[in-house]
């Protein structure tokens, strides 16, 4: 193991243990690691946005492909920084209005055309006679589940009578789904925990053994 | 954008302008994210300058932001360690500090989820029992030992879980939520376009 690898392992181990120390109680090691993590994550996005958006989508096309008009979104972007000024923060509304207007236009179409219709279509298509009895049962579960879930989230009318009954079925379906999601999330987190413990035992432990051997 | 959806024939004015507008939104969005980081720097800088409580930690945040961001923004022509490529400072800090810390943070949630599960998984009523049973079944199904246990009861159980729970009830609810959220988003988009919703302007 080279000195650089050794240092890398010890740095990771220090921050891993510092973060885990919060499980006992809040302490300066945890606070330091937490603040460094927050700073690195923020800085990571600066690097990412700088290269993939500012350079690749604005500067390069402007100077290499002659797309001079990209200076306008650049100006709109810079105007966003006027939010830091008390007197001129209103200027940022111009950029905000552009983003909101465009996003609203995209969403109005994409949500209906790209999500609602395909999901309804897929739900109804699950009733395929060629799938046999098991396929029919599955299709029935899906159709009843989708309709009852939608009815549960329909709050414009009081959940009473038939509507209340269907909403109750919706709650059962939602509970099954939440249970499944919870199970998945727990297992994903446990898997990450196993990964960190394996690092501490194999890599960091290995480096300690090497240090004293 | 709505009009261009219906009349964006290839080569037409609208067909050409739509990807351009999308690119504009991405650029302005990029600046917005930078605005967020500048805001973090301002807040932390002010705290350090005033020597507020915990200013040392805030200084660590500031140093971390600059240490990873500045080398990433410098031209790769100056040094191999600049930019975001392999062997850069940016990549090293991400691989050996940011990513392991992110994994540790999420791994810690395992303990808090276990604690939350202890409180939430009490079979108080039929709905809570349903959630409890499904979660236990899925957790068992996701580990090799648990799957072996389920197979020992009946060889088709893992397949049934996959088909009827994950691909049946769970899929149905996800579809319901997606349809509901999409209808809500479309309605909100319409409200914004018609000027009914103006809270984003601070009004």
């Amino acid at each position: 193991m080279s000195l650089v690898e050794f240092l890398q392992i010890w740095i990771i181990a220090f921050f891993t243990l510092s973060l885990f120390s919060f499980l006992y109680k809040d302490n300066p090691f945890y606070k330091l690691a937490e603040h460094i993590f927050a700073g690195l994550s923020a800085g990571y996005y600066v690097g990412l946005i700088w290269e993939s958006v500012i350079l690749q989508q604005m500067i390069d096309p402007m100077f290499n492909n002659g797309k001079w008009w990209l200076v306008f979104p650049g100006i709109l972007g810079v105007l966003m920084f006027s939010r830091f000024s008390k007197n001129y923060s209103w200027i940022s509304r111009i950029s905000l209005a552009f983003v909101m207007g465009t996003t609203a236009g995209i969403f109005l179409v994409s949500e209906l055309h790209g999500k609602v219709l395909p999901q309804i279509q897929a739900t109804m298509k699950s009733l395929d006679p060629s799938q046999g009895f098991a396929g029919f049962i599955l299709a029935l579960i899906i159709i009843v589940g989708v309709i009852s879930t939608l009815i549960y989230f329909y709050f414009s009318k009081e959940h009473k009578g038939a509507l209340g009954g269907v909403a109750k079925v919706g709650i059962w379906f939602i509970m099954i789904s939440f249970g499944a999601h919870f199970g998945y999330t727990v297992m994903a987190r446990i898997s990450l925990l196993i990964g960190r413990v394996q690092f501490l035992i194999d890599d960091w432990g290995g480096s300690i053994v090497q240090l004293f051997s | 954008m709505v009009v261009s959806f219906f009349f964006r024939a290839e080569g037409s004015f609208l067909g050409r302008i739509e990807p351009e507008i999308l690119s504009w939104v991405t650029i302005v969005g990029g600046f917005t994210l930078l605005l967020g980081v500048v805001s973090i720097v301002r807040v932390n800088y002010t705290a350090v300058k005033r020597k507020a409580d915990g200013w040392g930690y805030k200084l660590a945040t500031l140093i971390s932001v600059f240490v990873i961001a500045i080398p990433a923004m410098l031209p790769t022509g100056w040094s191999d360690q600049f930019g975001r490529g392999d062997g850069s400072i940016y990549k090293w800090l991400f691989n050996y500090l940011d990513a392991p810390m992110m994994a540790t943070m999420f791994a810690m949630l395992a303990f808090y989820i276990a604690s939350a599960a202890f409180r939430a998984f009490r079979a108080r009523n039929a709905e809570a029992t349903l959630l409890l049973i499904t979660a236990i079944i899925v957790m068992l199904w996701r580990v090799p030992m648990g799957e072996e246990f389920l197979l020992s009861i009946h060889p088709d159980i893992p397949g049934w879980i996959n088909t009827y729970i994950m691909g049946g009830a769970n899929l149905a609810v996800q579809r319901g939520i997606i349809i509901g959220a999409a209808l809500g988003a479309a309605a909100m988009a319409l409200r914004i376009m018609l000027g009914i919703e103006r809270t984003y302007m601070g009004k």
Side-chain angles (χ1 to χ4, degrees):
Chain A
M1 189 185 290
S2 70
L3 182 67
V4 175
E5 282 174 332
F6 186 83
L7 281 174
Q8 281 170 356
I9 287 171
W10 275 74
I11 290 169
I12 301 172
F14 171 75
F15 285 110
T16 302
L17 290 171
S18 298
L19 289 173
F20 275 140
S21 67
F22 185 74
L23 293 170
Y24 174 59
K25 68 175 185 181
D26 201 3
N27 64 76
F29 287 107
Y30 172 77
K31 276 184 185 156
L32 179 71
E34 184 196 28
H35 281 78
I36 289 175
F37 175 55
L40 285 176
S41 300
Y44 170 81
Y45 282 106
V46 173
L48 187 73
I49 295 297
W50 176 257
E51 190 182 293
S52 63
V53 178
I54 311 289
L55 287 183
Q56 288 178 1
Q57 297 206 37
M58 196 180 83
I59 308 282
D60 284 352
M62 256 169 73
F63 292 101
N64 299 330
N65 301 336
K67 287 188 168 182
W68 56 268
W69 54 87
L70 288 176
V71 73
F72 295 117
I75 292 170
L76 285 173
V78 172
L79 290 183
M80 291 293 277
F81 288 86
S82 66
R83 289 189 81 82
F84 293 126
S85 159
K86 273 183 190 164
N87 296 331
Y88 299 103
S89 66
W90 60 270
I91 296 174
S92 67
R93 286 183 188 167
I94 300 168
S95 317
L96 204 60
F98 169 74
V99 174
M100 291 303 289
T102 316
T103 313
I106 295 167
F107 265 53
L108 185 62
V109 177
S110 70
E111 293 294 301
L112 296 176
H113 190 75
K115 284 185 182 170
V116 176
L117 295 178
Q119 292 294 341
I120 294 173
Q121 197 179 31
T123 305
M124 297 321 288
K125 268 189 175 175
S126 60
L127 266 177
D128 183 0
S130 66
Q131 296 293 318
F133 182 69
F136 173 74
I137 296 292
L138 183 63
L140 206 64
I141 291 172
I142 292 173
I143 291 170
V144 171
V146 170
I147 293 170
S148 58
T149 303
L150 280 170
I151 286 179
Y152 172 72
F153 285 114
Y154 179 74
F155 298 118
S156 301
K157 202 169 184 296
E158 202 177 347
H159 289 177
K160 274 183 178 174
L163 194 76
V166 181
K168 186 89 177 158
V169 176
I171 294 175
W172 294 340
F173 271 95
I174 291 166
M175 285 298 149
I176 292 174
S177 179
F178 284 177
H181 269 268
F182 192 92
Y184 248 96
T185 309
V186 169
M187 296 323 289
R189 299 289 182 262
I190 294 285
S191 165
L192 278 170
L193 181 65
I194 292 169
R196 299 319 300 152
V197 173
Q198 267 179 343
F199 162 78
L200 287 173
I201 294 173
D202 296 345
D203 297 7
W204 187 53
S207 78
I208 294 172
V209 170
Q210 208 174 354
L211 192 69
F212 292 104
S213 62
Chain B
M1 296 310 286
V2 177
V3 173
S4 81
F5 174 78
F6 294 103
F7 302 100
R8 58 177 168 197
E10 215 170 297
S12 68
F13 174 71
L14 281 172
R16 286 197 312 271
I17 208 165
E18 194 193 321
E20 205 64 52
I21 296 288
L22 285 173
S23 149
W24 283 35
V25 174
T26 311
I27 293 168
V28 180
F31 275 98
T32 313
L33 218 143
L34 293 182
L35 176 81
V37 179
V38 171
S39 179
I40 290 173
V41 170
R42 271 169 55 98
V43 168
N44 284 286
Y45 174 72
T46 312
V48 172
K49 203 174 151 189
R50 288 182 186 160
K51 294 224 158 86
D53 272 355
W55 67 272
Y57 301 120
K58 294 182 193 318
L59 183 65
T61 303
L62 278 178
I63 292 169
S64 309
V65 172
F66 290 120
V67 160
I68 192 168
I70 290 174
M73 291 165 81
L74 293 174
T76 44
W78 292 2
S79 167
D80 288 343
Q81 293 187 332
F82 296 152
R84 294 175 56 236
D86 288 335
S88 62
I89 295 170
Y90 179 88
K91 199 96 171 178
W92 190 90
L93 286 168
F94 178 74
N95 286 339
Y96 294 103
L97 279 179
D98 202 30
M101 282 205 268
M102 204 184 302
T104 311
M105 279 286 194
F106 282 112
M108 273 167 66
L109 287 181
F111 293 97
Y112 296 106
I113 284 178
S115 153
F118 181 73
R119 276 169 277 161
F121 279 12
R122 284 179 200 158
R124 287 195 189 114
N125 50 39
E127 288 86 12
T129 313
L130 209 54
L131 191 142
L132 168 74
I133 293 168
T134 316
I136 288 172
I137 289 172
V138 171
M139 281 191 275
L140 273 175
W141 173 57
R142 295 307 298 165
V143 286
M145 201 170 77
E147 197 177 3
E148 280 301 314
F149 168 71
L150 292 172
L151 283 168
S152 70
I153 299 170
H154 194 286
D156 288 335
I157 288 181
W160 288 339
I161 295 170
N162 194 28
T163 308
Y164 295 107
I165 294 181
M166 302 311 294
N170 179 50
L171 177 79
V173 172
Q174 293 312 310
R175 272 199 187 143
I177 291 172
I178 289 171
I179 293 170
L183 286 171
M188 179 58 83
L190 203 60
R191 281 172 64 88
I192 290 170
M193 287 165 73
L194 296 175
I196 302 166
E197 182 66 50
R198 284 186 288 177
T199 45
Y200 67 93
M201 285 285 185
K203 288 181 180 173

